[in-house]
Amino acid sequence: MKKFINNVDDLLVESLSGFAAAHADLVELHLEPHFITRKNKAENKVAIISGGGSGHEPLHSGYIGYGMLDAACPGYVFTSPSPDQMLAAAEAVHAGKGVLFIVKNYAGDVMNFEMAAEMLPFDNATVLTSDDVAVENSTYTTGRRGVAGTVIVEKAVGSLAETGADLAACKALGDKVNSRTASMGVALTSCTVPAAGRPTFDMGELELEMGVGIHGEPGRRRESMRNADAIVADLVAAILEDLKPARGTEVLLLINGFAATPLMELYLLYNSAAKLLQAQGLVISRSLVGNYTTALDMAGASITVCLLDDEIRQHWDSPVHTAALRWQR
Amino acid sequence: MKKFINNVDDLLVESLSGFAAAHADLVELHLEPHFITRKNKAENKVAIISGGGSGHEPLHSGYIGYGMLDAACPGYVFTSPSPDQMLAAAEAVHAGKGVLFIVKNYAGDVMNFEMAAEMLPFDNATVLTSDDVAVENSTYTTGRRGVAGTVIVEKAVGSLAETGADLAACKALGDKVNSRTASMGVALTSCTVPAAGRPTFDMGELELEMGVGIHGEPGRRRESMRNADAIVADLVAAILEDLKPARGTEVLLLINGFAATPLMELYLLYNSAAKLLQAQGLVISRSLVGNYTTALDMAGASITVCLLDDEIRQHWDSPVHTAALRWQR
Amino acid sequence: MKTLFILEAMTTVNQAILSSESELESLDRAIGDGDHFINLKRGCAALLAMHDELSPLAPAEVLQRMGMKLLSTIGGASGPLLATFFMTLAKAEKTSDVSTLADIASAFQASVDAVKQRGKADRGEKTMLDTLIPVAETFTQLTQQDTDRLLLLTALQQAAEQGMQSTREMIATKGRASFLGERAIGHIDPGARSSQIIIHTICELAKTKIA
Amino acid sequence: MKTLFILEAMTTVNQAILSSESELESLDRAIGDGDHFINLKRGCAALLAMHDELSPLAPAEVLQRMGMKLLSTIGGASGPLLATFFMTLAKAEKTSDVSTLADIASAFQASVDAVKQRGKADRGEKTMLDTLIPVAETFTQLTQQDTDRLLLLTALQQAAEQGMQSTREMIATKGRASFLGERAIGHIDPGARSSQIIIHTICELAKTKIA
Ligand SMILES: Nc1ncnc2c1ncn2[C@@H]1O[C@H](COP(=O)(O)OP(=O)(O)O)[C@@H](O)[C@H]1O
Ligand SMILES: Nc1ncnc2c1ncn2[C@@H]1O[C@H](COP(=O)(O)OP(=O)(O)O)[C@@H](O)[C@H]1O
Ligand SMILES: [Mg+2]
Ligand SMILES: [Mg+2]
Ligand SMILES: [Mg+2]
Ligand SMILES: [Mg+2]
């Protein structure tokens, strides 16, 4: 394992410190418990708080700021944060209209946020994101994982909250975006959890993992390496099978890198995916390409499609000013 | 080599097509010869054109748009573009005030841009970027390489051009920023040129290449892997030895990823570098952290310091709207 | 339960967990995300650091503080579950005097029930509950039958071992491994294994106190 | 020079370059960026595709179009340099009748001089010029002495070989390898090697025409 670290135990705090210093105009770092807040406390709005294990940067801290999150609670690498973090963050950013937690659907995150929610002295609600269609959503499972679609949920909900909408409305929009969003990923290499010091899974030089999770969880199947168009065709097919969009539907297409895949390849994937969506009669009216929900140092990428409507498009387009997403401001 | 490609020969055009499609609001792609232009042709300003071998994305295409470049000429992977591309791009974007080429200092880029400049029927000038202090700038060499500092040059010059400044002023600002900017990089892995199919250099599991170039050119020395603070100390020392800034100088600190290094590690590097600069009495007033000048799929990073003055700071802060850098718009 | 025993158990369990590093790590790498050992290690270290603070306190307070500490240091899925376990034990200690073996068995059962609730999970879902539930059942049964202490402790260890082993052939329907479907078969659940290690270690310690 | 011979040389050189793939690639990987072979291959392929378009044309026009094509297809450092070489040859063909060996030698010398100018480089800087300059000198000398054709061609091949080999011990002061300082020592320059291959191949072809 070769990484830019000093020692594994200090990695998280040193990285958070660097983040906070580089974006001192936007965010403030609090330690023990660890959480990051928006610099200028917003008034009279629902406080939007997310969090989860670290290693997915810029998720979530990179989305703190005007039009998106009020706070984020980073856990250790791939480990859900603990309730004391959420409680302290909520205490710091609540602004009289309650707290909305945006939580990726993993047992650990769900339970920790749930315990925080139970202890919280403010009105609160939770949006669980579950866009990963690699997981067959049969009744006996925990349900699907939340992956890169979470960014779209956070953007939309953050935008609505900025208008002064109430907690119920924010929760409703979050649930709606989540239900209209589907993702699936593929890994070309494993990631390496710093504390573990070696790759989470073994992968042959000519293999890929179809449907991989953002923690390096095995996916639907291990396959032989194929060309990009063939890989994209499978991902898009799984996504469309889930969303079943009508021809003419307007969509947002997000090509998300897991960290180690060059932009050049991500744009090639975009090219390939866009053609397939257009062939299905879909209209790609918004796009995002880059590393937005990563998996430590994994080479790989995911495709996310979100079915837009006027409301979601408007909240996607609205001004945002965070470390990782910024426009109109 | 595992990459998301269909076949090596189509990689560039497919990737450019994806880029152009994903940013159809910003750019337009032209093929044979290949170049990319800003969507809405600017009027009455110096046309700013850059270009170079591909594999450094988002450099340069990602910087096309308001406040930065008017066009970019992408060569094949790590291969300078050819003069016909520059001629066609200049023809497309010139707007009556001449053309400024921003060229990274490599023999190939210099000669191809030079031949284009000789053939060009418009007023033109060239800014050569040469910020890489890994190269000892002795008189008998080609001079230093242009690396991530190029982004700062492009941002500043693009901003000035937007004000209607003339060619000489744009060239002068570009040269000034370049002279006040120094960078040095380190590789943890080699990159793999797609057409070559295997790593450009061999690197042991516990080695690093100090002073590596963005094409995987060997650097100052091969070393044993060390902790991040020690690596950063060497990079910062080389940069400061070159710039020799007075205490109290205001600087921009850019931590640039070569593609495969996670944001989490880049922020850790930022943390480490910022402390060292502050210990030298420097004031870090602007920051940028991310993959801005990459080296295909290399794991590694570079540090860039630019000595700000009022003029450069103002042109850094001014509105910009490109695929990869965007603020205030 | 005595504070002294709890603290001694804490130290021994820490050692047992530390010496299972590679096994726990590879179990969670196989069907999870590889951090289960690190999570436990962090939790144990935080508990150990509290040793002097805890030693003068009553058992209920000790267990409550341990639970809160685990809640704020482990994170992940195992954090809230183990914390819930300790905090429920603490509640039992607080409300009634947990002194007989039967008292301990019923406090244990209540704690396992709380974990079931928190995790919305039950036996057969390939989690730590596959270790904990059979242990709780055996505990209750054998204390009702007034079994010899040594036999009881050995029976608890066996129940934990069997429960843990039973996860090997299961499909997971809770936790991270549930995303794997059939591919989880053949691997023991990391949480089931760590719970079994903890129970085994505490029983061994208890055996040395029988004399 | 005859168009027929130029086109034949083009085909043979293409084959020679293709069969040096791994060598050229590893030379440029060692002290450059690994793309020299690919660049040449792309240029050669573009030339071959022009074969039918070129065959009816006069040599000057053929060389000029080849130069322009190389300029727009090779890119990198070698693109403008090789293009400059061809375009200068074309100029010589155009301005005077290049028929005697001495004519060819002086056109060759002019082309090498143009490359020196374009690259702001000279002998001893570890570039293709270390192959080209000695060849030009030998060419001029031996044609002045009216040497036997076969001996001349062999001497050119030797000059190219020696020039190419001489780059091995040089520090580079031009091109990408100049960034390496001492570390470039021990490696032959890729451009010097490819130029040598081209010259060697053309001389071999010319030998078959002597009969
Ligand atoms: N809903 C649940 N109920 C009971 N136990 C669970 C549940 N979800 C997960 N677990 C247990 O937690 C263990 C994983 O813990 P850990 O690796 O520390 O957290 P994470 O899965 O968040 O990385 C699993 O092996 C399983 O035994
Ligand atoms: N200034 C120069 N003058 C002459 N030849 C040069 C010069 N710079 C580079 N070269 C030649 O070009 C070769 C490299 O070509 P190539 O790999 O195709 O381009 P690049 O270096 O841009 O990747 C070098 O090996 C060297 O022989
Ligand atoms: Mg985890
Ligand atoms: Mg090159
Ligand atoms: Mg785990
Ligand atoms: Mg090269």
Side-chain angles (χ1 to χ4, degrees), chain A residues 79 112 118 140 198 200 219, chain C residues 29 35 71 76 118 173 183:
Chain A
T79 300
N112 282 284
E118 288 165 14
Y140 62 82
R198 58 195 188 102
T200 303
Chain C
R29 245 204 319 268
D35 62 356
L71 185 61
R118 175 57 61 204
T173 51
R183 292 171 70 171

Side-chain angles (χ1 to χ4, degrees), chain B residues 78-79, chain D residues 33 35 176:
Chain B
F78 288 0
T79 300
Chain D
D33 59 353
D35 63 356
R176 237 172 249 290

Side-chain angles (χ1 to χ4, degrees), chain B residues 238-322:
Chain B
I239 289 168
L240 294 186
E241 194 184 304
D242 180 79
L243 292 175
K244 295 193 175 53
R247 291 185 75 84
T249 303
E250 198 187 323
V251 303
L252 183 164
L253 172 58
L254 160 57
I255 305 292
N256 173 59
F258 284 152
T261 293
L263 210 43
M264 190 176 203
E265 294 174 42
L266 296 180
Y267 279 120
L268 186 144
L269 294 177
Y270 181 93
N271 187 52
S272 180
K275 278 184 191 154
L276 290 175
L277 295 179
Q278 281 153 357
Q280 297 295 315
L282 301 177
V283 180
I284 304 167
S285 77
R286 297 295 182 274
S287 301
L288 192 66
V289 181
N291 294 314
Y292 291 100
T293 300
T294 60
L296 281 174
D297 54 355
M298 191 189 279
S302 62
I303 299 181
T304 299
V305 173
C306 170
L307 307 182
L308 296 176
D309 61 13
D310 288 346
E311 185 187 24
I312 303 176
R313 190 196 326 96
Q314 173 209 322
H315 288 299
W316 178 256
D317 287 345
S318 65
V320 60
H321 182 176
T322 69

Side-chain angles (χ1 to χ4, degrees), chain A residues 53 76-80 106 108-109 215, chain C residues 28 32-36 39 42 74-78 176:
Chain A
Y76 290 95
V77 170
F78 287 0
T79 300
S80 151
Y106 297 93
D109 294 275
H215 306 88
Chain C
D28 198 33
D33 59 353
D35 62 356
H36 187 54
N39 294 345
R42 194 170 50 240
I74 299 191
S78 47
R176 235 172 250 291

Side-chain angles (χ1 to χ4, degrees), chain D residues 3 15 34 40 107-108 122 141 202:
Chain D
T3 294
Q15 281 155 3
L40 292 180
F108 190 93
D122 212 325
Q141 264 171 35
I202 296 176

Side-chain angles (χ1 to χ4, degrees), chain C residues 64-76:
Chain C
Q64 175 64 18
R65 292 203 189 178
M66 286 173 78
M68 290 301 292
K69 183 54 83 178
L70 292 177
L71 185 61
S72 67
T73 51
I74 299 191

Side-chain angles (χ1 to χ4, degrees), chain A residues 76-85 105-112 114-115 118-119 134-135 140-145 193 195-201 209-210 215-222, chain C residues 21-22 25-26 28-35 38-39 42 68 70-81 83-84 87 117-120 125 171-176 178-183:
Chain A
Y76 290 95
V77 170
F78 287 0
T79 300
S80 151
S82 50
D84 53 322
Q85 296 175 259
N105 187 35
Y106 297 93
D109 294 275
V110 171
M111 289 188 278
N112 282 284
E114 220 169 63
M115 289 187 80
E118 288 165 14
M119 298 172 179
V135 176
Y140 62 82
T141 73
T142 312
R144 297 161 167 192
R145 303 174 292 216
V193 174
R198 58 195 188 102
T200 303
F201 54 92
E209 181 74 30
M210 185 57 82
H215 306 88
E217 307 99 312
R220 285 194 180 180
R221 55 185 182 273
R222 182 67 58 94
Chain C
E21 167 161 3
S22 69
E25 214 165 81
S26 63
D28 198 33
R29 245 204 319 268
I31 60 167
D33 59 353
D35 62 356
I38 309 158
N39 294 345
R42 194 170 50 240
M68 290 301 292
L70 292 177
L71 185 61
S72 67
T73 51
I74 299 191
S78 47
L81 294 169
T84 298
M87 282 149 64
Q117 254 184 33
R118 175 57 61 204
K120 300 194 184 66
E125 304 205 77
I171 289 184
T173 51
K174 285 283 148 43
R176 235 172 250 291
S178 69
F179 304 132
L180 293 185
E182 308 271 320
R183 292 171 70 171

